[in-house]
Amino acid sequence: MKTAALILAAGRGTRAGGELPKQWQKLMGRQVISYAIEVFKRHPKISHVALVMNADDIVAPLTPDIAPDQIITGGETRQASVLAGLEALKDSADAVLIHDGARPLIAPNVIDRVIDALQTHPGAAPALPVTDALWHGEDGTVAGMQDRAGLFRAQTPQGFHLPEILSAHRANQTDAADDVAVARAAGLDVTIVTGDESNIKITTRDDFARAAKLMDNKMDVRCGNGFDVHRFGPGDHVWLCGVKLPFDHGLQGHSDADVGMHAVTDAIYGALGAGDIGQHFPPSDPQWKGAASHIFLEHAVSLAERSGYRISNVDCTLICEFPKIGPHQDAMKTALAKIMKLDTNRLSVKATTSERLGFTGRGEGIAAMATATLVTA
Ligand code: MG
């Protein structure tokens, strides 16, 4: 069964305040919407991730930090947006999980439970039983009790066999609260799977703080360092942090001897507890002779991604008497930022001499040290 995710980001979210609709506001430094897109994109049982956006936001334009596979223009109402999404997906999947983009803390195991239930049911949705006592209130006074037996708090993603939910939405005339209501109106069975207390919907300003607190509990921060040295030899240029500098010497090494990029790469491996460049690209292996060092850095970056981390910042110091680094710092930051898919303001390349002391002071070579911070993606 091919399963697509349809993430709704077309709402205006006025109750949360702020200049942008809530799903486009920042939560722990990233757009609210980017979290759900990422979880579904990483999920092995989801083949396609589509995002429904408001036409105004597409024109604005707002761009998700993490690109979905497809962007669909929504309609005037939530139901119209879902229908537009289902029509766009009808030929590319057998089942669809419709998720509210304002639920950034969706866990992969909740997605699993919905998909598993769809093997035997046309519809499945996560929910949690109501455990608090429920009251009727009138003018601030308790006016009666509500039996909570059999009551559930509904969450998303709500999953359905795609042809059935598409016909249900095409036929729907009501202003249904969610897709389960539309499915039930069309006579579809919807089974309840266990939701997750963390899978909250961001509605008000306070919910941002609540979501951040929940994320903080899951946050893992890793720090790694890297150090490297290459010796000067004959040549007419050196590679430093991805930039080719004309110089009256070259740097010797098995690869292109980019000492700065090697230190940065080792810092990332270090944060991951994943060895060093020599382990991943043995100097004894002739295929790495003269290799461009971006290959090593790209490998470390993708290893971080696959391990569930993103690079938060990198700081690299080059230690040499010459060549002069200052005029090339910006180009080096740009080159590293491109490989690491990082904003240049999360990168630092600086240089120091060693006051003519030691091997760098005598101009025998260049040393580099780097620190990398990785955080849970
Ligand atoms: Mg090296």
Side-chain angles (χ1 to χ4, degrees):
M1 191 167 65
K2 246 176 123 179
T3 307
L6 184 64
I7 303 175
L8 303 177
R12 302 285 79 195
T14 46
R15 275 179 288 174
E19 303 227 313
L20 292 170
K22 61 188 177 185
Q23 63 273 23
W24 296 102
Q25 293 183 31
K26 296 269 177 162
L27 170 64
M28 304 284 279
R30 298 168 70 195
Q31 294 161 344
V32 168
I33 190 70
S34 67
Y35 293 97
I37 296 174
E38 187 166 43
V39 171
F40 281 99
K41 280 198 81 161
R42 277 171 186 247
H43 199 287
K45 292 180 190 159
I46 298 291
S47 57
H48 185 88
V49 177
L51 183 71
V52 183
M53 284 179 61
N54 194 289
D56 293 345
D57 297 340
I58 293 177
V59 176
L62 291 170
T63 313
D65 291 336
I66 311 237
D69 299 309
Q70 185 179 4
I71 289 177
I72 298 158
T73 308
E76 285 296 309
T77 61
R78 185 188 181 284
Q79 296 311 318
S81 290
V82 175
L83 180 58
L86 295 173
E87 296 283 4
L89 285 175
K90 64 175 185 281
D91 297 322
S92 47
D94 310 303
V96 61
L97 266 52
I98 305 170
H99 185 66
D100 191 330
R103 291 187 191 266
L105 284 143
I106 175 65
N109 60 0
V110 174
I111 297 172
D112 277 322
R113 290 199 278 271
V114 175
I115 293 176
D116 289 348
L118 288 180
Q119 303 296 329
T120 46
H121 297 82
L128 288 168
V130 172
T131 51
D132 294 329
L134 293 177
W135 303 333
H136 289 285
E138 272 168 33
D139 304 325
T141 306
V142 178
M145 312 303 288
Q146 169 71 50
D147 184 6
R148 66 179 176 232
L151 290 184
F152 284 83
R153 292 176 286 142
Q155 299 188 341
T156 72
Q158 301 183 345
F160 306 93
H161 294 177
L162 208 154
E164 280 92 329
I165 192 68
L166 176 58
S167 341
H169 267 277
R170 281 176 178 164
N172 178 53
Q173 299 294 336
T174 65
D175 185 19
D178 65 4
D179 302 292
V180 166
V182 174
R184 291 195 66 251
L188 292 182
D189 261 353
V190 181
T191 193
I192 300 172
V193 302
T194 306
D196 175 7
E197 282 295 351
S198 298
N199 185 19
I200 62 168
K201 181 176 180 178
I202 293 186
T203 308
T204 64
R205 204 62 243 164
D206 288 348
D207 294 332
F208 278 85
R210 217 170 126 216
K213 210 167 169 186
L214 287 164
M215 283 178 176
D216 220 14
N217 288 339
K218 294 201 299 186
M219 181 69 84
D220 184 18
V221 179
R222 301 282 196 96
C223 188
N225 69 65
F227 179 74
D228 197 26
V229 172
H230 282 266
R231 155 198 311 274
F232 282 125
D236 60 4
H237 68 272
V238 294
W239 280 98
L240 286 175
C241 295
V243 176
K244 187 178 180 181
L245 270 58
F247 191 53
D248 57 9
H249 284 83
L251 283 173
Q252 294 183 330
H254 194 71
S255 65
D256 64 9
D258 188 333
V259 60
M261 202 177 284
H262 293 180
V264 169
T265 305
D266 269 348
I268 297 169
Y269 286 137
L272 293 170
D276 57 27
I277 294 182
Q279 239 168 288
H280 294 281
F281 301 92
S284 54
D285 187 338
Q287 68 169 310
W288 309 121
K289 182 154 178 54
S293 296
H294 65 83
I295 297 169
F296 310 151
L297 184 53
E298 280 157 5
H299 177 264
V301 170
S302 79
L303 188 64
E305 283 169 1
R306 279 176 300 174
S307 310
Y309 290 91
R310 70 189 163 86
I311 298 166
S312 179
N313 83 300
V314 165
D315 182 17
C316 176
T317 303
L318 299 167
I319 306 160
C320 57
E321 300 294 324
F322 45 75
K324 285 282 165 251
I325 304 300
H328 307 285
Q329 270 168 318
D330 284 346
M332 290 176 180
K333 279 169 66 172
T334 305
L336 291 177
K338 195 172 166 208
I339 297 169
M340 288 192 270
K341 295 170 249 169
L342 210 59
D343 281 349
T344 46
N345 64 13
R346 289 180 177 269
L347 254 170
S348 150
V349 175
K350 43 199 208 308
T352 182
T353 69
S354 49
E355 299 285 335
R356 303 199 170 274
L357 296 171
F359 70 88
T360 53
R362 293 189 296 272
E364 294 167 7
I366 301 182
M369 51 196 288
T371 309
T373 311
L374 274 55
V375 295
T376 325

